[in-house]
Amino acid sequence: MLQTIRDNSQGLIAKIIIGFIIALMALFGAESIVGGFFGANTAATVNGEEITEQELAISLQNLMASLGASVADFDEELLRDVALQQLIEDKLLAQAAADAGLVISAASIDREIVRTPQFQIGGRFDQDLARRTMAAQGFSPQTYRDALAQQMTMGQLANAYSATAFVTEADVARLAELEMQTRDFRYVSVPLGTRTLGEAIPEDEIRNYYDSNPAQFTEEEQISLQYVVLDKDVIFDEVEIDDARVRTQYEAERAAATSSIERRASHILLDTSAASQEEVLAQAQTIKQRLDAGEDFGALAREFSVDTFSAEQDGDIGFTNGSVFPASVEQALAALEVGQVAEPVVSEFGVHIVKLTEYEAQQFPEYEEVAERISRELKATEVDQIYFNRMETLANLAFESFDLQTISEDMQLEIQTSEFFGRTGGSGPVTSNPEVISQAFAQDVLGDGLNSEVIELNDSRAVVVRLGEHRPASVRPFEDVRAEIAVMLRTQKERDKAAEVGQQILSALESGSDAADIFATESLAWDQRNGVRRNQFDLNTEIIRNVFAMQASSEGQPVRQGFTLTNGAYVVIELQAVNPGRAEDMPPEQRQQLATAMLDTQGRMTFDAFLATLRNNASIR
């Protein structure tokens, strides 16, 4: 089947477009996808609403992109279930938001769109870029707005529940007391030593360990790759930009900039959904008369505007170059002087009362100030075009050729050889790339010996790889690992001996002895610690964790416990006292951080409980 796909593929352009769409989907959510590349088979239904296999496939892609992984790195069914459960939760939230009557104002959606970095050039919203980006993602402006509105209402619902969490001063005080609690104890650590040095490790033990743990001594399957690299930086050195092109571009930019006028506006937006347009226009006219009489624009915006965000800023909606706001608003602004208020105008969002607050004609720098920047940008544009053209050529040659020699000769790219690496990847920039690893161990490359597809390592480098050498997984010979096993067995015997000494100390203490003879024989000594806190860093964290897990004696007698550290040493602890903490001893800023953390936790628990209720009451198939 993979070979059939190769035979019917149409080159790199389709892959670039698909990659672009996937990146955008990760930004805006799987639910926003319109159209599809898959069949419309139903993956699940939530209260009668379908989740299609197309949506699930896209959600799975987004999940893998967020993990930086391929399906081969994880259990495919597990990933599929995780992706499906996320879609089910999104569907439940969308339904709950609709049932609750939650809505997002048109102005809020506009504001979110204008502030989206992917729709901006130089930090300013660009309408053409926004439309192209939406189209590349499979949207019309309206379908994009609908999808964004759904995402925002879901966020609104989630915030409504998580923000209901609260903690009392008593709650914070109780936790602060626990945080400030201290403990007095002494401990002794029995380290690994040479207690078993005179004991030989029997050969049959070494052999039995080897035979019982073959996976431990199996060298993973490894491969090395041959590859060619297409590097944009190399192309950059090939391109020269003459002064005439720079001068022509400068004149074009200056003409565009000097003709561009930036206007800053404020508005009062009235909603037409609850009344007729004539009634709303009459209301707007009344507000306009109050403005003409000298009332403050910001005060009236806060009183009447349904665009609550801009109202909080005295109605300010930012700058426009003539293309940001609806056409009727732009026309009204064009006829105003700074400080003037236009007659009410109608757009698809409602009725606007618009005020021009700033007017700025663009000034353009002299040629010498920007020539270097323009030359660099022209060069970058040309390099980009050459790079993508060559990447298309590279993709075609990789598909058509059965080795890298033809690619190397036609495109003057050096054939390089990687180090050996396994399915977890290597250390180099090529062999550590997840997509390289995925394709290298796929059937096409590893099984059939074909060239890979073009793999983009980053924005400026792409590679094609093929199998160089394959080393199947194999168990290392016994003689090669015999000494290694002997060391492991010796270490385990030392751990056992340290634990044995520790248990002897515990037994002696419990019987009323001071274990002085054991301490003398083993050259050990107690380490006394008083007033130790949970987050103290001058003591082994394993010891602190175990000390604070111990329960104090109700009779006030010492409590003892022994355990093995990860380094093999055996520790005996004698807990002597638990000193209650005082909330007032905690610094105010730390108490505030504690309260904030408790609020966050409570908020998550509240929202999780709400989501669980939605699931329990839903019909999910």
Side-chain angles (χ1 to χ4, degrees):
M1 186 177 89
L2 291 174
Q3 186 59 46
T4 303
I5 294 174
R6 269 180 174 265
D7 295 338
N8 289 282
S9 64
Q10 299 299 313
L12 184 63
I13 296 300
K15 297 166 192 169
I16 294 173
I17 292 172
I18 292 171
F20 185 47
I21 292 172
I22 290 172
L24 289 171
M25 288 187 298
L27 290 171
F28 299 110
E31 292 78 25
S32 62
I33 304 309
V34 177
F37 308 102
F38 306 94
N41 296 332
T42 301
T45 61
V46 181
N47 294 325
E49 292 189 32
E50 291 185 350
I51 295 174
T52 66
E53 285 289 345
Q54 167 211 345
E55 291 174 303
L56 178 56
I58 292 167
S59 181
L60 183 59
Q61 287 176 328
N62 291 341
L63 177 61
M64 289 188 295
S66 68
L67 295 172
S70 67
V71 175
D73 298 317
F74 295 93
D75 181 87
E76 185 173 358
E77 284 303 313
L78 174 62
L79 284 180
R80 176 185 168 90
D81 184 62
V82 170
L84 180 58
Q85 295 308 315
Q86 183 60 57
L87 286 178
I88 289 172
E89 289 185 1
D90 288 348
K91 186 71 72 175
L92 288 169
L93 287 174
Q95 292 171 350
D99 292 342
L102 298 180
V103 294
I104 300 293
S105 71
S108 296
I109 297 172
D110 290 339
R111 186 167 58 251
E112 190 68 25
I113 292 173
V114 169
R115 291 179 173 181
T116 301
Q118 287 70 32
F119 299 159
Q120 296 178 351
I121 297 177
R124 292 188 180 276
F125 176 77
D126 186 278
Q127 191 172 21
D128 291 338
L129 174 62
R131 289 182 179 275
R132 290 197 303 271
T133 304
M134 291 176 190
Q137 193 182 355
F139 286 125
S140 68
Q142 187 56 50
T143 57
Y144 180 85
R145 290 175 62 85
D146 292 343
L148 182 59
Q150 184 182 58
Q151 292 291 321
M152 293 174 71
T153 53
M154 288 164 56
Q156 192 178 60
L157 181 67
N159 289 335
Y161 278 88
S162 59
T164 61
F166 67 92
V167 293
T168 66
E169 281 296 325
D171 293 332
V172 177
R174 279 194 295 272
L175 190 55
E177 288 170 0
L178 283 175
E179 286 290 322
M180 300 303 291
Q181 182 191 96
T182 64
R183 299 197 167 197
D184 302 337
F185 63 93
R186 64 176 181 171
Y187 74 95
V188 61
S189 177
V190 184
L192 299 186
T194 57
R195 299 177 182 87
T196 66
L197 195 57
E199 301 176 19
I201 305 296
E203 189 69 17
D204 59 339
E205 283 190 29
I206 300 176
R207 170 60 74 172
N208 287 340
Y209 190 93
Y210 176 81
D211 292 340
S212 302
N213 300 276
Q216 193 172 338
F217 307 106
T218 297
E219 290 185 332
E220 67 170 339
E221 174 186 29
Q222 291 192 319
I223 60 173
S224 69
L225 297 175
Q226 293 183 329
Y227 62 93
V228 292
V229 180
L230 180 64
D231 193 332
K232 190 182 288 187
D233 291 339
V234 174
I235 301 174
F236 208 88
D237 296 334
E238 302 174 10
V239 176
E240 296 292 338
I241 303 295
D242 58 49
D243 291 340
R245 287 183 61 189
V246 177
R247 175 67 70 172
T248 300
Q249 180 64 23
Y250 171 78
E251 295 298 340
E253 289 186 11
R254 185 172 66 173
T258 54
S259 64
S260 175
I261 297 174
E262 289 273 319
R263 292 181 172 87
R264 187 170 188 170
S266 295
H267 82 158
I268 299 171
L269 179 63
L270 305 180
D271 190 6
T272 57
S273 63
S276 69
Q277 183 171 301
E278 290 73 18
E279 291 172 323
V280 177
L281 279 169
Q283 181 190 11
Q285 193 62 52
T286 301
I287 297 172
K288 171 69 164 54
Q289 291 170 0
R290 292 174 63 178
L291 290 168
D292 292 343
E295 291 195 43
D296 182 65
F297 192 97
L300 292 177
R302 287 188 289 275
E303 181 178 353
F304 292 106
S305 182
V306 296
D307 182 1
T308 55
F309 182 84
S310 68
E312 293 171 359
Q313 312 298 320
D314 291 338
D316 180 55
I317 50 176
F319 286 93
T320 177
N321 59 3
S323 63
V324 174
F325 305 138
S328 58
V329 175
E330 296 286 1
Q331 291 169 7
L333 285 172
L336 297 176
E337 298 292 335
V338 173
Q340 288 185 332
V341 178
E343 292 297 322
V345 295
V346 179
S347 78
E348 63 267 36
F349 307 118
V351 174
H352 306 257
I353 303 168
V354 184
K355 178 180 180 180
L356 180 63
T357 57
E358 290 184 36
Y359 178 95
E360 181 181 310
Q362 193 76 284
Q363 299 296 321
F364 203 70
E366 295 299 320
Y367 174 77
E368 290 74 15
E369 298 178 46
V370 295
E372 183 179 349
R373 187 267 301 167
I374 294 175
S375 176
R376 186 171 59 251
E377 290 178 355
L378 288 173
K379 188 172 185 177
T381 299
E382 186 168 329
V383 167
D384 284 345
Q385 187 60 52
I386 294 172
Y387 179 73
F388 284 113
N389 287 342
R390 290 187 185 178
M391 195 148 57
E392 179 75 19
T393 301
L394 179 61
N396 292 333
L397 288 174
F399 170 72
E400 295 166 358
S401 307
F402 290 96
D403 56 33
L404 298 179
Q405 193 62 40
T406 301
I407 298 174
S408 176
E409 293 172 356
D410 287 4
M411 301 189 67
Q412 300 301 302
L413 299 177
E414 178 188 358
I415 299 176
Q416 303 179 55
T417 302
S418 78
E419 78 279 15
F420 278 91
F421 64 97
R423 292 180 180 269
T424 56
S427 58
V430 174
T431 57
S432 63
N433 182 277
E435 184 59 26
V436 170
I437 299 167
S438 176
Q439 290 205 34
F441 283 93
Q443 178 64 30
D444 283 2
V445 174
L446 181 58
D448 300 337
L450 300 173
N451 294 331
S452 72
E453 299 174 353
V454 172
I455 303 167
E456 294 186 65
L457 300 178
N458 50 45
D459 292 339
S460 62
R461 301 181 77 221
V463 298
V464 171
V465 305
R466 69 176 290 107
L467 181 65
E469 187 177 344
H470 179 216
R471 293 176 179 172
S474 61
V475 179
R476 296 166 63 190
F478 173 72
E479 287 305 320
D480 289 354
V481 297
R482 182 187 176 283
E484 180 181 328
I485 296 172
V487 170
M488 287 190 292
L489 293 177
R490 174 75 65 192
T491 300
Q492 184 56 52
K493 288 180 180 294
E494 288 294 335
R495 290 171 69 98
D496 294 342
K497 282 291 185 181
E500 183 180 320
V501 172
Q503 290 294 331
Q504 290 173 0
I505 293 173
L506 274 175
S507 297
L509 293 172
E510 293 297 337
S511 65
S513 169
D514 60 3
D517 54 338
I518 304 176
F519 276 72
T521 302
E522 298 290 336
S523 300
L524 302 174
W526 286 109
D527 189 340
Q528 180 69 42
R529 296 297 179 109
N530 296 323
V532 174
R533 291 183 175 173
R534 296 174 188 272
N535 58 353
Q536 201 156 311
F537 297 109
D538 62 346
L539 188 61
N540 186 296
T541 55
E542 289 181 83
I543 294 176
I544 293 179
R545 186 169 61 249
N546 278 274
V547 165
F548 278 88
M550 295 171 66
Q551 186 171 352
S553 170
S554 57
E555 292 83 19
Q557 296 299 313
V559 177
R560 302 177 184 91
Q561 177 181 297
F563 62 95
T564 300
L565 296 176
T566 53
N567 64 10
Y570 192 88
V571 174
V572 175
I573 295 175
E574 185 178 85
L575 177 62
Q576 298 161 335
V578 175
N579 310 309
R582 285 162 32 94
E584 53 268 31
D585 291 340
M586 179 177 282
E589 63 275 12
Q590 189 175 343
R591 287 193 67 171
Q592 183 57 50
Q593 293 172 359
L594 187 63
T596 300
M598 293 174 70
L599 273 174
D600 290 343
T601 301
Q602 291 284 359
R604 286 194 300 270
M605 292 173 63
T606 301
F607 176 70
D608 289 345
F610 166 67
L611 195 56
T613 300
L614 291 180
R615 275 184 171 274
N616 292 337
N617 295 335
S619 173
I620 301 173
R621 293 177 55 202

